[in-house]
Amino acid sequence: MITLDAPSFMAVMQHAKNRALREEVYRAYLTRASSGDLDNTDIISQILKLRLEKAKLLGYKNFAEVSMARKMATVDRVQELLEKIRAASWDHAVQDMEDLKAFVKDSGSAEANDLAHWDLNFWSERLRESKYDIDEEGLRPYFALPKVMDGLFSLANKLFGITVEAADGLAPVWNSDVKFYCVKDSSNSPVAYFYFDPYSRPSEKRGGAWMNVVFSRSSVLARHGSSVRLPVAHMVCNQMPPVGDKPSLMTFREVETVFHEFGHALQHMLTRQDEAFVAGISGIEWDAVELPSQFMENWCYHKNTLLSIAKHYETGEPLPEEIYAKLVAAKNFRAGTFSLRQIRFASVDMELHTTYDPSGPVSVYDVDRRVAEKTQVLAPLPEDRFLCGFSHIFAGGYAAGYYSYKWAEVLSADAFSAFEDVGLDNEKGH
């Protein structure tokens, strides 16, 4: 009944009270694809050898240099950033562990004396509930989709001087729920258009949320005597559709998601570049892609922005202040631990693609263990084979690129802090 797919695995780790079951599932998850006919160890070795060979043929020292050739960062700068964040996160992660132990002890559980890997998510979830008991479902009435979109468009107007107007009927749509919008500049001229497909339709639409290109801005492909073809984007989400005369009511996570995807859409739509291949989000370096999306997400935690959209759809009453305070506090819950986890993945990825010799006597697991000593408060199990399932870097596009998550996060934090410096409520700040 229980699979090792992430949603199933995480549900057991966070909510199963049976400790033996958590241990069994955790050990199975950590050793996926690492034995018998399904052992990925040799495949990993082969991949790393071929990547190194490719790098040498192209005149690079290692595969990380090949990867960086089309990204913002350099190998040295990545290693510098990872170490900086690792050092800054370590004490916080140690404190996270102390807080967790104290909480388990107070709960009177025998597990307090020997917390194991399969206990961490379970007890963290209990601690989160006790500290920031935010009922995600209970918040939905405060986040009606039309109100959230009005607030988002109003924020875009303040930040970028653009106006977003409904343009339904101007372009054909693939479903009656799809909305079409026109984006105008301060002189009221159209600069872009976008489709928004907000609701879940499980029979014909995959889960998650995404933004993508319909057209890029282009002078070469302009038609009907105009000087430029305007960019068109589409944003797709999977929210609860309206029921009867109730609007679509969103969780706070879904609000963050809409802000995130709109950040990607804005980067595409507000481009001033007339060459389609490098206009909008086309040709953006992999480690900079998430900058605008994470930048926009930050505004969900800005008090005036959030409270302007968080109004009860029936009574119009604003979101209570104490719930806003909990949302902000919950954002930083166990931040040190989560940060170190990303640093571990990024550091292993970098080491395997820079200094590691895939033909030498050291195994990839030795490298992982050494990195884990500096990035994990609780040492990994000796049989930890998470690399065998690390598809991001062996089967996806993140080879010598996993650091991109953190790199873009830092860029977006820097961009947002420029706004904080002049005051987030300073409408005239420049």
Side-chain angles (χ1 to χ4, degrees):
M1 298 300 288
I2 295 167
T3 70
L4 295 179
D5 297 317
S8 176
F9 169 72
M10 280 313 295
V12 172
M13 288 297 110
Q14 290 183 332
H15 301 292
K17 291 177 180 166
N18 182 332
R19 192 186 191 199
L21 173 67
R22 295 200 306 263
E23 177 176 356
E24 184 185 349
V25 173
Y26 180 83
R27 288 182 185 276
Y29 188 79
L30 262 204
T31 53
R32 285 170 306 156
S34 67
S35 60
D37 295 343
L38 301 175
D39 189 348
N40 277 341
T41 308
D42 289 345
I43 297 171
I44 288 174
S45 184
Q46 186 71 0
I47 288 171
L48 292 173
K49 278 177 188 159
L50 290 169
R51 283 178 181 164
L52 185 57
E53 188 183 340
K54 176 182 183 176
K56 297 278 173 63
L57 286 170
L58 293 170
Y60 293 95
K61 284 207 291 283
N62 52 52
F63 186 76
E65 288 188 355
V66 177
S67 166
M68 303 295 161
R70 296 179 62 187
K71 294 184 173 72
M72 275 184 77
T74 61
V75 173
D76 291 346
R77 293 306 301 277
V78 169
Q79 289 167 333
E80 192 183 310
L81 179 76
L82 292 179
E83 176 50 31
K84 209 174 192 172
I85 300 175
R86 188 203 69 78
S89 306
W90 182 261
D91 288 348
H92 294 282
V94 170
Q95 189 57 52
D96 287 346
M97 187 63 89
E98 292 308 312
D99 293 347
L100 197 60
K101 282 180 180 164
F103 175 74
V104 180
K105 208 175 195 124
D106 290 346
S107 307
S109 170
E111 294 164 28
N113 301 322
D114 67 330
L115 276 188
H117 287 280
W118 44 89
D119 301 320
L120 302 184
N121 279 322
F122 177 80
W123 286 108
S124 298
E125 193 57 18
R126 304 293 78 74
L127 176 58
R128 189 186 65 77
E129 287 168 356
S130 78
K131 274 182 111 161
Y132 318 107
D133 188 18
I134 300 168
D135 173 10
E136 281 279 348
E137 293 302 311
L139 289 188
R140 280 187 191 270
Y142 290 97
F143 297 116
L145 177 67
K147 189 89 182 128
V148 170
M149 298 314 285
D150 286 349
L152 179 54
F153 297 157
S154 156
L155 174 65
N157 175 262
K158 278 184 202 148
L159 295 176
F160 308 109
I162 56 171
T163 308
V164 180
E165 293 176 2
D168 294 317
L170 197 60
V173 292
W174 51 95
N175 185 285
S176 57
D177 292 335
V178 177
K179 306 271 183 245
F180 192 65
Y181 292 94
C182 173
V183 179
K184 294 181 172 177
D185 64 15
S186 51
S187 61
N188 214 31
S189 308
V191 290
Y193 297 91
F194 70 98
Y195 293 93
F196 180 41
D197 184 352
Y199 309 129
S200 176
R201 292 192 303 280
S203 60
E204 58 179 76
K205 189 171 161 185
R206 66 180 168 87
W210 61 95
M211 170 268 154
N212 222 324
V213 177
V214 180
F215 290 128
S216 289
R217 185 179 166 98
S218 168
S219 52
V220 176
L221 296 169
R223 297 191 303 186
H224 309 312
S226 58
S227 60
V228 69
R229 179 184 74 180
L230 295 179
V232 182
H234 70 244
M235 274 169 60
V236 183
C237 295
N238 265 290
Q239 287 151 217
M240 257 195 326
V243 179
D245 52 7
K246 247 194 208 178
S248 171
L249 301 175
M250 304 163 70
T251 63
F252 181 66
R253 263 273 12 120
E254 287 171 338
V255 174
E256 282 185 300
T257 299
V258 166
F259 273 63
H260 179 104
E261 299 305 338
F262 195 56
H264 286 306
L266 285 171
Q267 180 169 32
H268 186 63
M269 297 189 294
L270 303 188
T271 185
R272 294 183 180 167
Q273 173 55 255
D274 292 340
E275 177 49 66
F277 288 115
V278 287
I281 62 165
S282 306
I284 296 283
E285 293 94 333
W286 191 258
D287 44 10
V289 165
E290 296 299 332
L291 193 174
S293 51
Q294 294 186 1
F295 168 78
M296 288 302 289
E297 252 185 75
N298 282 321
W299 290 95
C300 294
Y301 294 91
H302 172 230
K303 193 172 188 179
N304 285 4
T305 301
L306 187 70
L307 296 183
S308 73
I309 62 176
K311 303 267 199 303
H312 196 284
Y313 79 101
E314 286 173 318
T315 64
E317 115 195 48
L319 186 76
E321 287 264 347
E322 66 272 15
I323 293 185
Y324 166 72
K326 278 184 175 181
L327 287 170
V328 172
K331 182 184 187 216
N332 296 321
F333 178 59
R334 292 178 66 75
T337 301
F338 293 130
S339 179
L340 279 189
R341 183 171 184 268
Q342 291 296 85
I343 298 298
R344 175 188 173 188
F345 294 165
S347 302
V348 171
D349 174 36
M350 283 306 288
E351 185 150 341
L352 292 178
H353 290 108
T354 50
T355 54
Y356 179 66
D357 176 6
S359 304
V362 177
S363 81
V364 289
Y365 308 120
D366 296 331
V367 173
D368 183 36
R369 206 156 293 127
R370 190 170 68 248
V371 169
E373 282 172 19
K374 296 172 73 180
T375 54
Q376 241 182 258
V377 177
L378 191 61
L381 297 178
E383 68 269 33
D384 187 326
R385 293 287 180 272
F386 109 88
L387 284 174
C388 287
F390 196 10
S391 55
H392 272 79
I393 69 169
F394 296 120
Y398 282 89
Y402 197 90
Y403 76 89
S404 300
Y405 288 111
K406 277 292 177 209
W407 187 271
E409 207 177 304
V410 170
L411 290 177
S412 73
D414 284 350
F416 192 67
S417 69
F419 284 76
E420 289 177 314
D421 289 346
V422 294
L424 295 181
D425 301 317
N426 174 359
E427 307 272 318
K428 296 181 176 54
H430 293 294

